[in-house]
Amino acid sequence: MVPLHYYLLVSALLFAIGVTGVLVRRNAIVIFMSIELMLNAANLSFVAFSRELQDLSGQLFVFFVMVVAAAEVTVGLAIIVTLHRNWKTIHVDAIRMLKG
Amino acid sequence: MSVVEALYQCSGLLAVLILFATGVLILLLDAFSPLGRKGRLGGVAVAGTAAALFAAWQSESPGEPLFFEMVVWDRYALFVTSVILLGALLVLLLSLEGRRRDGAGTGEYYALVLFAATGMVLMAQAVHFIMIFLGLEILSISVYVLVGLPRHERRANEAALKYVLLGGFASGFFLYGLTFLYGATGSLSMTAMASYLGTGERVFNSYLLLGTALVLAGFAFKLALVPFHLWTPDVYEGAPTPITAYMAVGVKAAVLAALVRTFREALPAVVPHWTTALWILAAVTMTVGNVMALVQQSVKRMLAYSSIAHAGYLMVAVVAGTPSGVTALLVYLLAYTVMNVGAFGVMVVGQKERDGGELLQDFEGLGFRCPLVGAAMALFLFSLAGIPPTAGFLGKLLVFSAAVEAGYTWLVILAVINSVVAAYYYLRVVIAIYRRSEAAEAGPEPAIRLSGGERAALILAGLLTVGVGVLPQGFWEMARRAVLALG
């Protein structure tokens, strides 16, 4: 059996890649993909702990997270599409009408 | 669980069910009603919210966990639900006129406000972290759409994008933190977690530490605590004004309610180790919020920073953490809700007349153009500044005295200095209201016409702002009994 640590390391790596992506990339869709990566890292971690603890509820949580992530993506992409219609760009550094 | 028992347990979720059903009903009515008659949907939304509030007050609140320890309906949930629904009701009343004028997207708007309220009430009732997460996402996703609903406005597009990206980022942290809490304690149910952690010898566990830190960061993002506040001013400024008010009061109330429940019911063994961090968060949040508010030219942006500062004051009560601290927190939440929605409501009224209507000079002479609105704005600003005998003063008094009792004197000294600084930028607006503008020198300006909904909302908010300040006994007693329901 693969030890828990291996799974947690992979999940921490995924999470770190996601966070770095959000902070470094400037394309709104790529940032969104990075957020999805963060949520998936959490899912992997849930499943790993669930197996370690011999408790099924951790795997159940993953389903909730997947539904929520899908809903968030739907809304997020819709917002990006409407934004692109008005701004003709999805480069987040160019979108700065509100100061701050 | 048998069908009968499930139906019985539904009675504990009555407010949520009514809000959700009304939202769905509005979407259906919207699809089947002709274009000219969409104005009535607002009436349905107001009726639904009022019905949910009424049902919440009618149903018993025994406080036993429902649906496999997912939610609970106790006096604490009742109090927070009332505050949330009151905020939602005021926001709906303020939106009626603007929605009737804009026409498009009316059904979606009201339905989303109700769905967001559903999520908020669920957060107040949740005793399981997955439920908190779901409530948080239900409200966040609804509010993302609401912020971006004026989809031909570039400003709203930008605000919605910033909100959805940073909100998703925060959800990621929150969720990743939950996995570690699960790994450390073997459950995400608050009672199971608390009994596993016991009196505290298992607290020094790296998973638990990491999990608590990440969950706290997630909460701090949603509450707009410094240094997690960077999205707030932009999103608040770009969103339609009634939605800004909704974000400032409803979202904050729901998230704080969940945070307090987490601390008191799930992690009482862990919290003492986080007090210093919370102390710093509270201190930095109110200071940065107030200092930034001082230099704003736009009143809307100023109120955004002011809401950050108020989140700092609310955190003072969380730091205190005693039963009297939580009581003060609840009363302050009620006061904050009515005075903040009121201030944003006056802005909604002002924006009907002029494009923008958010700058300080747009408020000049408001007190002469419409004495009722001017007086209401002055009242709300006095209350936000914490001047007696308003609700804001009483809330601050309760929070600060609870914190002193708990031994956080320096934090309270800092908070009092902050309140003094804050008075400057609130009173600046009051002075503008009662100063004749240059346009008025040239000729009389048209008086402001109030719609019925706006009048009702401003009067209700004003009465409560005075009422909570002058006759606090009933509200305080209610809050005290709410806190008894917590562990």
Side-chain angles (χ1 to χ4, degrees):
Chain A
M1 189 173 137
V2 185
L4 174 68
H5 284 98
Y6 287 29
Y7 290 111
L8 289 185
L9 269 178
V10 173
S11 122
L13 199 65
L14 274 178
F15 190 78
I17 295 174
V19 172
T20 319
V22 173
L23 297 176
V24 173
R25 299 301 294 267
R26 264 23 249 140
N27 181 314
I29 291 189
V30 178
I31 295 179
F32 227 85
M33 283 161 53
S34 306
I35 290 172
E36 289 308 301
L37 216 51
M38 289 166 70
L39 294 180
N40 281 325
N43 279 349
L44 180 59
S45 172
F46 260 137
V47 174
F49 276 124
S50 161
R51 201 172 94 160
E52 180 71 16
L53 295 163
Q54 297 291 319
D55 173 41
L56 268 181
S57 55
Q59 312 219 11
L60 275 176
F61 302 151
V62 172
F63 285 108
F64 286 104
V65 176
M66 288 198 297
V67 173
V68 165
E72 207 167 71
V73 167
T74 319
V75 166
L77 287 180
I79 287 173
I80 293 177
V81 169
T82 50
L83 179 107
H84 184 259
R85 273 195 200 135
N86 290 334
W87 286 79
K88 307 291 175 221
T89 177
I90 52 168
H91 194 76
V92 289
D93 282 343
I95 301 165
R96 45 183 316 137
M97 193 175 173
L98 302 162
K99 53 184 186 286
Chain B
M1 190 191 285
S2 69
V3 178
V4 178
E5 202 190 336
L7 279 176
Y8 169 72
Q9 297 206 347
C10 277
S11 69
L13 278 174
L14 213 50
V16 171
L17 292 173
I18 292 176
L19 287 170
F20 176 71
T22 317
V24 174
L25 178 71
I26 287 173
L27 284 181
L28 284 175
L29 287 176
D30 184 41
F32 290 107
S33 63
L35 253 182
R37 306 171 73 176
K38 305 250 189 225
R40 297 182 185 179
L41 295 176
V44 178
V46 170
T49 314
L53 193 57
F54 181 73
W57 274 93
Q58 287 302 307
S59 58
E60 299 266 316
S61 44
E64 65 204 29
L66 306 170
F67 293 105
F68 305 103
E69 302 201 359
M70 283 286 169
V71 290
V72 71
W73 180 241
D74 53 12
R75 287 187 166 276
Y76 177 74
L78 173 66
F79 192 97
V80 179
T81 302
S82 314
V83 171
I84 290 168
L85 291 182
L86 181 67
L89 198 62
L90 292 173
V91 167
L92 284 170
L93 286 172
L94 287 169
S95 314
L96 292 176
E97 165 99 2
R99 284 294 108 195
R100 206 172 289 138
R101 206 171 11 157
D102 292 353
T106 305
E108 293 91 317
Y109 181 92
Y110 292 126
L112 283 165
V113 169
L114 290 172
F115 290 150
T118 311
M120 292 172 194
V121 175
L122 271 180
M123 276 190 92
Q125 288 191 251
V127 284
H128 192 287
F129 278 96
I130 280 299
M131 224 40 237
I132 293 188
F133 177 70
L134 285 179
L136 187 66
E137 289 300 314
I138 292 172
L139 88 85
S140 296
I141 292 175
S142 313
V143 177
Y144 298 152
V145 184
L146 282 170
V147 170
L149 210 54
R151 59 179 194 277
H152 300 295
E153 272 180 39
R154 300 180 76 187
R155 207 169 73 144
N157 294 151
E158 179 184 343
L161 181 74
K162 282 184 174 166
Y163 197 24
V164 80
L165 289 182
L166 287 169
F169 193 54
S171 302
F173 276 97
F174 185 76
L175 191 71
Y176 198 52
L178 288 192
T179 68
F180 286 105
L181 289 185
Y182 174 65
T185 63
S187 173
L188 281 180
S189 155
M190 288 192 181
T191 41
M193 223 180 238
S195 63
Y196 176 85
L197 291 174
T199 50
E201 60 269 27
R202 296 187 204 201
V203 168
F204 295 99
N205 167 332
S206 53
Y207 290 155
L208 190 63
L209 196 68
L210 187 62
T212 322
L214 288 169
V215 166
L216 201 60
F219 275 131
F221 252 110
K222 297 285 175 187
L223 280 176
L225 302 180
V226 180
F228 306 98
H229 70 293
L230 292 170
W231 56 274
T232 319
D234 289 358
V235 174
Y236 280 23
E237 191 185 347
T241 309
I243 298 307
T244 309
Y246 201 36
M247 279 192 284
V249 301
V251 175
K252 238 166 228 177
V255 175
L256 257 176
L259 177 71
V260 169
R261 208 192 269 279
T262 304
F263 278 3
R264 290 192 68 87
E265 291 198 350
L267 305 169
V270 182
V271 173
H273 305 284
W274 283 96
T275 314
T276 316
L278 292 172
W279 195 105
I280 295 171
L281 269 183
V284 175
T285 302
M286 56 195 175
T287 311
V288 171
N290 277 322
V291 170
M292 292 301 290
L294 282 177
V295 295
Q296 300 304 323
Q297 283 309 305
S298 154
V299 177
K300 198 172 180 185
R301 215 172 158 81
M302 182 274 276
L303 283 175
Y305 278 109
S306 124
S307 85
I308 295 178
H310 280 276
Y313 302 141
L314 289 162
M315 283 309 286
V316 172
V318 175
V319 171
T322 52
S324 66
V326 183
T327 312
L329 176 81
L330 291 179
V331 177
Y332 198 102
L333 264 183
L334 174 65
Y336 172 73
T337 299
V338 289
M339 64 196 182
N340 220 21
V341 177
F344 279 112
V346 172
M347 188 173 284
V348 173
V349 174
Q351 279 177 330
K352 285 197 300 190
E353 302 291 309
R354 321 182 170 196
D355 232 19
E358 291 166 11
L359 297 177
L360 193 57
Q361 53 260 37
D362 292 321
F363 282 82
E364 279 182 358
L366 188 71
F368 304 110
R369 282 156 66 207
C370 183
L372 173 71
V373 175
M377 187 63 169
L379 172 70
F380 298 134
L381 289 168
F382 278 135
S383 181
L384 282 165
I387 294 167
T390 54
F393 166 74
L394 180 89
K396 275 207 181 94
L397 180 72
L398 288 175
V399 167
F400 294 171
S401 59
V404 169
E405 244 172 62
Y408 297 99
T409 317
W410 281 105
L411 189 59
V412 172
I413 292 175
L414 197 63
V416 170
I417 295 174
N418 262 298
S419 317
V420 175
V421 173
Y424 167 73
Y425 59 79
Y426 292 124
L427 298 186
R428 201 173 55 162
V429 181
V430 178
I431 292 169
I433 290 174
Y434 289 105
R435 180 171 57 207
R436 296 230 177 248
S437 62
E438 280 163 27
E441 303 282 328
E445 283 195 86
I448 292 178
R449 196 182 42 77
L450 276 176
S451 75
E454 286 159 358
R455 190 183 300 267
L458 289 185
I459 289 175
L460 182 59
L463 281 181
L464 277 168
T465 306
V466 176
V468 175
V470 176
L471 300 166
Q473 191 60 38
F475 298 103
W476 183 80
E477 185 60 32
M478 221 153 38
R480 203 183 57 80
R481 281 162 67 186
V483 175
L484 287 181
L486 284 182

